[in-house]
Amino acid sequence: MTRYGWFLGHEEWQPELLVEQARHAERSGFDVLLVSDHLQPWVDDAGAAGFSWATLGALAVATGRAGLLSAVACPLFRQHPVLVAQAAATVDRLSGGRFTLGVGTGEAVNEAVLGRFPPHDGFPRYAERLARMTEALGLLRPLLDGDTVDRPDGAYYPVSAARLFSPPTTPVPIHLAAAGPRSAATAGRLADGVLTSVKDPEDTGRRVVDVARAAAEAAGRTPPAVVLTTFVVLADSDEEALRALRPWRGLRTPGRLQVTDPSRLRRTADRLGPGWILSRYRRVGSPRDLLDFCARLRDRLHPDLLAFQVAAVDGAAAVDRFGELVEVLRTR
C-alpha cells in the first residue's frame, strides 16, 4: 500500500516554520515528512537554508507518528559519511526509530562553498561523485548496523576504527536519490531504496524504477523501496505561481548542479524570464487536479511512498488542501 509524504523545503521556509508545518502535516494525515538539506538556497534574494539535522532533531520530538526522511543529505564533501551516520543514528534514537536516511550525490551550490575544489577543476563531475557515493555507502551501512569500520586505505574516506557509540535503536534504511539509470542501478545494488522526482511516470519507470528493481534482482537482493516526489505549484494564476516560485526559480536553470553562487542562479533565472520559469513546473489550481496523474503513477510505478513537494504562497493552507487529496487517494 502506498504511503504519502509531505516535503519540507529548507530552501523555501525558515526552520521554525518547517517544524510548525510538520506538526500540521502529521495532523493532516501524512505518513512521512521529507526534509531537504541545503547550505544555500536556489536564489540569493528569497528562501532560507536552515541546518537540516537540527530541524530533524526538532521534528523527532515535535511529532510522534510520521516517519522522517532526509531528502537528501550528501555524505560526500561538506558532510563526511561518518558524521552523516552519527547524525542519522541520533535522529533515529530521538524519533523512536522513525528515521530513514536519504542520500544523494549533491550540487555545487551546497557542496563547493567550502573552497575545497581548485578553480580550474571545479565541482567534481558525476562519475567521481558516484564513485564517492559507492564508497560512502560502504561506510554508512556497517556503521548504522553497529559495526566498527577500519578502512585506512579508502580512496576518498579513509577511516580508522570508526564506530557509533550512540547507535540506532532500530535498523535505519538508506535510500539513494537517482535521476537516471546509473544512480538507480547503484541504489538497487547497495541501498535499501531509491528516491526520485517524477514528472512522467513512464519515463521515470524506464530510467529509474525498473533499473533499480532489476539491479537488486540481479544482485540477489530484496527489491528496493520506491520513494517518489512530485513538485507542483499550487496557484490560481500565473502571478500567484511566480510569487510561490520565487525561492525556487533557480532550481531548474541550465547547468545548476555546477553553480556555486545562488546569485548566479538568480540572474540566470531572471534572464530566462517568467514564461520560462512557469514552463518548468506543473501548476494546479486544486490538488484534485492531480488525481489522474497520481493514479497513473501508482499503476505504473507501485511506489512505497509518494510525496508532494508544493510551492505555495500559504504553506499551511497547502498542507490542508493536499491532506484532503491524500484522503481521496487512500480510497481509490
Side-chain angles (χ1 to χ4, degrees):
M1 179 179 295
T2 299
R3 297 187 299 161
Y4 296 93
W6 183 257
F7 183 92
L8 299 165
H10 274 100
E11 309 96 306
E12 183 173 9
W13 306 102
Q14 295 294 355
E16 65 275 17
L17 298 177
L18 289 178
V19 173
E20 290 305 314
Q21 195 175 120
R23 289 194 184 105
H24 194 40
E26 185 177 58
R27 290 194 298 268
S28 296
F30 286 94
D31 304 301
V32 179
L33 304 169
L34 293 78
V35 180
S36 65
D37 180 275
H38 264 251
L39 182 62
Q40 299 188 110
W42 290 111
V43 290
D44 65 333
D45 63 347
F51 186 49
S52 69
W53 294 111
T55 303
L56 281 162
L59 295 181
V61 297
T63 62
R65 174 189 58 80
L68 305 176
L69 169 62
S70 57
V72 291
C74 177
L76 307 184
F77 305 105
R78 176 170 49 101
Q79 303 177 80
H80 192 283
V82 173
L83 296 183
V84 170
Q86 182 188 30
T90 301
V91 174
D92 174 80
R93 296 181 74 97
L94 292 173
S95 66
R98 291 183 285 134
F99 183 65
T100 295
L101 175 60
V103 294
T105 57
E107 307 101 351
V109 73
N110 295 312
E111 307 304 324
V113 179
L114 302 185
R116 297 180 179 181
F117 312 107
H120 62 280
D121 291 340
F123 188 55
R125 296 290 177 175
Y126 175 77
E128 179 183 330
R129 301 203 313 272
L130 185 60
R132 285 176 175 269
M133 179 59 73
T134 299
E135 185 172 328
L137 290 170
L139 297 174
L140 289 166
R141 182 72 279 158
L143 286 168
L144 290 172
D145 287 344
D147 298 338
T148 298
V149 181
D150 190 24
R151 297 181 186 173
D153 298 325
Y156 299 106
Y157 312 109
V159 298
S160 299
R163 175 185 165 196
L164 299 180
F165 287 86
S166 295
T169 57
T170 59
V172 175
I174 301 174
H175 293 175
L176 176 61
R182 285 186 289 175
S183 287
T186 303
R189 290 187 291 105
L190 300 178
D192 303 299
V194 61
L195 188 156
T196 191
S197 179
V198 56
K199 296 178 185 177
D200 179 337
E202 184 58 40
D203 183 66
T204 298
R206 183 177 62 255
R207 289 173 44 80
V208 177
V209 176
D210 295 348
V211 173
R213 286 171 172 158
E217 182 178 6
R221 305 184 74 232
T222 301
V226 173
V227 176
L228 305 178
T229 64
T230 186
F231 192 125
V232 298
V233 185
L234 182 62
D236 291 322
S237 66
D238 287 351
E239 179 184 7
E240 184 182 356
L242 287 169
R243 283 190 288 134
L245 285 169
R246 195 162 181 262
W248 298 100
R249 65 193 195 278
L251 170 62
R252 291 178 177 166
T253 53
R256 56 100 177 171
L257 292 180
Q258 298 293 323
V259 177
T260 302
D261 186 350
S263 69
R264 181 177 163 191
L265 293 168
R266 184 248 309 159
R267 290 193 298 271
T268 300
D270 291 347
R271 184 174 64 252
L272 291 167
W276 184 90
I277 294 169
L278 291 172
S279 73
R280 315 310 288 180
Y281 300 91
R282 180 193 301 269
R283 174 166 72 85
V284 296
S286 166
R288 287 178 179 261
D289 295 343
L290 292 171
L291 278 172
D292 289 343
F293 172 76
C294 290
R296 287 193 294 116
L297 187 153
R298 291 193 310 188
D299 290 345
R300 170 63 176 88
L301 303 176
H302 305 289
D304 297 274
L305 173 64
L306 170 59
F308 297 101
Q309 181 176 355
V310 182
V313 173
D314 187 333
V319 171
D320 286 335
R321 297 181 67 186
F322 273 82
E324 294 170 1
L325 171 64
V326 167
E327 289 183 10
V328 174
L329 288 170
R330 291 190 198 281
T331 65
R332 290 179 57 140

